[in-house]
Each structure stands twice: as structure tokens, then as C-alpha cells.
């Protein structure tokens, strides 16, 4: 059974700061720009005939209808909270582990390589979701486990939805030589962004790797789910139940989508948004 590792909802308070003619350099990242591609819109806009949203930093994300929900089609890639304060980057195993132990937000590129961020976005620990400064644009939120389950059930349930949630490219072949790519019939476009565990490791013979596994945090933590009466099992973590949350995961060569195992909040997974 995989080591159990990390995610929460963060109610988003989105502040649009307009600073015209301001010469204070420390506030330059909050200035309003007349260039629509640099304005921190935090709302739906039309760009190149596609529906997109922008995060505080100005990164664009395509949005798609998935079943009865509206989702972002790409993994989050921001380094800012909604109030303009930076999310700390953890570049070393020690920095990543320390952030998790102290319950502080952190992000990283897979393997600390910015090249991986161009396609797969960044990995975030669950404390980013928990932070009151928020990361979701106005009108959007981090999905709950129940919202992920609606998505999964829309496309055949746990045993078969994985094939339809995975992207058509970028997935490695499985250990048995099976094609790892999906059909993306769902339009979710799940890329295999990999994973970082609570110790800071990106891969080993046991842990997930980029191009063969994808994980996405839900805002649901272990305590939330337990109080709702859903069965859960945590091995080797007695008294630490408040340090676990739920992601969904997809794997190369598998048609399954997994969502029933809690992971440590100090783990690093991808993030998506769903429309309010």
C-alpha cells in the first residue's frame, strides 16, 4: 500500500490592486497594466476564441465543460496568493520537509526543474490550499473529493474513468509495455505531473514519477471525510489524522482512477479549479 500523503479548501478572497503612477518598487507586482495580457483579471475572459481564466500572476488556463461541471484544463502554475504575496518555493528536500513539518505552504517544480513546469505546472503541498490568502480566481475553487467523485462517476466510475480522464499524450508505457496514454474523452486532460513525498523525494522504486503518474489535491481532509461517515484507513499514523487529505490519482497503463486513499498534507501534488 502506498505511503499515505496530502490537500484543503481555501476560501478565496481576491483583491485586485490598481496602482497607477506608483513608483514604489516593492509594489510593482500589484500595479494595473493596460495590457490585457498582463492584467490580473481573476475572472473569465475571451482570448484567441477560447474561454480562459487567469491567476493573480497573469497565467492563463483554458476551461472546459466536463460532464455537468466546468474545470480548468491545465495544472496550476502560479507562485502567488491572491493578495500578491509569494508562495514560498522549496528547492531542496530539507526545505520541503521543513515546510510540511511546520504546516507552512510550499511549491516546487518536479525535480526542481522549471522545464517540467511548462507542461505539468507546479506541485503544491496541501497547506497552500489551507492558507487564507487563497489561490483560486474569483468564481472558482479547489474541488472537494465529492466533486471529483462526480467527475469520476460521469465517466464510468473508478475502474474505467482513468482512461477517459488522462491526456492523449505524455504518458509513458507501463511496466508491462501497455500504452499509458488516455483517450481524454472527458476533456479533463490529465497530465502525468508526478509527485513529491513529505520527505522531499520525487521518485524511487516505490514512489510516483513524472510521465507515469498524476495526482491532484482535493480540498477534503481526513477529518472532514471521517466525520461524514466514510470509511478510511491510515496505517502507521495514529494521532496524526489531521495531517492527511485526499487527492485523486491516475497511473500509466491503468484504466483506474483512485480517490480513496488519504495522503500526507506535506506531499506535493498538482492543482485544478472547478467553477463555483
Amino acid at each position: 500500500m502506498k505511503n499515505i500523503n496530502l490537500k484543503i479548501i481555501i476560501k478565496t478572497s481576491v483583491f485586485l490592486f490598481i496602482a497607477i503612477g506608483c513608483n514604489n518598487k516593492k509594489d510593482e507586482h500589484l500595479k494595473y497594466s493596460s495590457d490585457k495580457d498582463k492584467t490580473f483579471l481573476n475572472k473569465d475572459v475571451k482570448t484567441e476564441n477560447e474561454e480562459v481564466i487567469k491567476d493573480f500572476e497573469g497565467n492563463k488556463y483554458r476551461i472546459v465543460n466536463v460532464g455537468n461541471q466546468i474545470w480548468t484544463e491545465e495544472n496550476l502554475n502560479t507562485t502567488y496568493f491572491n493578495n500578491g504575496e509569494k508562495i514560498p518555493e522549496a528547492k531542496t528536500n530539507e526545505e520541503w520537509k521543513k515546510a510540511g513539518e511546520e504546516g507552512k505552504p510550499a511549491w516546487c517544480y518536479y525535480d526542481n526543474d522549471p522545464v517540467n513546469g511548462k507542461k505539468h505546472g507546479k506541485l503544491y503541498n496541501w497547506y497552500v490550499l489551507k492558507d487564507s490568502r487563497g489561490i483560486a480566481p474569483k468564481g472558482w475553487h479547489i474541488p472537494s473529493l465529492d466533486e471529483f467523485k462526480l467527475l469520476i462517476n460521469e465517466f464510468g466510475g473508478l475502474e474505467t474513468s482513468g482512461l477517459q480522464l488522462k491526456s492523449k499524450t505524455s504518458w509513458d508505457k507501463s511496466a508491462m509495455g501497455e500504452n499509458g496514454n488516455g483517450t481524454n474523452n472527458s476533456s479533463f486532460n490529465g497530465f502525468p505531473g508526478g509527485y513529491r513525498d513529505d520527505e522531499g523525494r520525487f521518485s524511487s522504486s516505490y514512489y510516483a514519477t513524472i510521465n507515469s503518474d498524476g495526482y491532484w489535491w482535493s480540498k477534503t481532509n481526513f477529518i472532514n471525510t471521517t466525520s461524514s461517515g466514510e470509511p478510511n484507513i491510515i496505517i502507521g499514523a495514529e494521532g496524526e489524522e489531521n495531517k492527511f487529505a485526499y487527492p485523486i490519482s491516475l497511473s500509466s497503463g491503468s484504466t483506474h482512477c483512485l480517490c480513496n486513499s488519504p495522503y500526507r498534507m506535506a506531499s506535493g501534488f498538482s492543482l485544478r479549479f472547478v467553477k463555483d
Side-chain angles (χ1 to χ4, degrees):
M1 180 176 183
K2 283 192 176 181
N3 186 29
I4 305 174
N5 310 6
L6 148 144
K7 175 174 174 207
I8 176 177
I9 189 176
I10 299 176
K11 288 187 178 179
T12 59
S13 300
V14 180
F15 300 92
L16 182 62
F17 294 88
I18 301 178
I20 300 176
C22 177
N23 293 318
N24 189 343
K25 288 188 177 181
K26 72 177 183 179
D27 292 328
E28 282 184 352
H29 67 286
L30 300 178
K31 286 183 182 179
Y32 177 83
S33 167
S34 60
D35 182 343
K36 67 179 181 180
D37 287 336
K38 296 181 180 178
T39 303
F40 303 136
L41 293 174
N42 274 326
K43 64 180 182 179
D44 297 357
V45 295
K46 283 279 191 179
T47 301
E48 298 175 354
N49 298 318
E50 287 186 299
E51 290 286 348
V52 303
I53 61 170
K54 292 183 180 181
D55 59 32
F56 182 87
E57 198 169 355
N59 299 308
K60 300 172 186 176
Y61 305 92
R62 293 187 299 272
I63 62 177
V64 291
N65 291 315
V66 184
N68 294 320
Q69 302 166 310
I70 301 177
W71 289 77
T72 49
E73 191 187 13
E74 301 159 283
N75 294 338
L76 187 63
N77 201 26
T78 190
T79 58
Y80 287 92
F81 288 112
N82 285 336
N83 68 349
E85 294 181 31
K86 279 197 168 184
I87 305 168
E89 179 183 7
K91 294 183 178 180
T92 67
N93 289 8
E94 292 73 23
E95 289 175 347
W96 184 266
K97 183 177 180 181
K98 182 180 179 182
E101 290 174 344
E102 295 178 354
K104 294 181 178 179
W107 70 268
C108 68
Y109 295 111
Y110 185 90
D111 235 6
N112 297 315
D113 186 351
V115 172
N116 289 324
K118 292 179 180 180
K119 177 184 290 187
H120 301 292
K122 296 177 174 64
L123 301 177
Y124 301 86
N125 68 19
W126 201 74
Y127 299 108
V128 171
L129 284 69
K130 188 176 182 179
D131 198 286
S132 61
R133 288 170 286 186
I135 53 170
K138 183 178 180 180
W140 297 76
H141 62 274
I142 301 294
S144 67
L145 185 61
D146 284 342
E147 286 174 308
F148 267 126
K149 287 181 177 179
L150 285 174
L151 173 68
I152 292 166
N153 291 335
E154 183 77 21
F155 295 96
L158 293 173
E159 292 188 3
T160 60
S161 59
L163 188 64
Q164 301 185 68
L165 294 175
K166 287 192 293 184
S167 58
K168 292 181 179 180
T169 62
S170 300
W171 290 83
D172 289 340
K173 290 183 177 180
S174 71
M176 303 299 292
E178 299 159 311
N179 180 14
N181 292 322
T183 65
N184 196 32
N185 288 341
S186 64
S187 298
F188 181 76
N189 201 36
F191 275 101
Y195 158 91
R196 190 172 196 174
D197 76 5
D198 57 314
E199 297 288 333
R201 295 168 293 194
F202 290 102
S203 63
S204 70
S205 59
Y206 182 78
Y207 294 104
T209 59
I210 198 167
N211 296 328
S212 66
D213 295 89
Y215 288 77
W216 293 266
W217 275 126
S218 81
K219 68 183 181 182
T220 304
N221 62 17
F222 179 82
I223 302 302
N224 292 154
T225 313
T226 302
S227 63
S228 68
E230 185 153 335
N232 298 281
I233 298 175
I234 289 184
I235 299 174
E238 186 175 353
E240 294 189 327
E241 289 82 1
N242 64 338
K243 296 183 179 180
F244 290 84
Y246 287 85
I248 70 163
S249 64
L250 303 171
S251 295
S252 184
S254 173
T255 63
H256 289 68
C257 179
L258 303 179
C259 68
N260 294 322
S261 295
Y263 283 72
R264 285 192 179 273
M265 294 175 179
S267 303
F269 298 144
S270 303
L271 290 177
R272 294 287 184 96
F273 298 134
V274 64
K275 194 170 181 63
D276 292 351

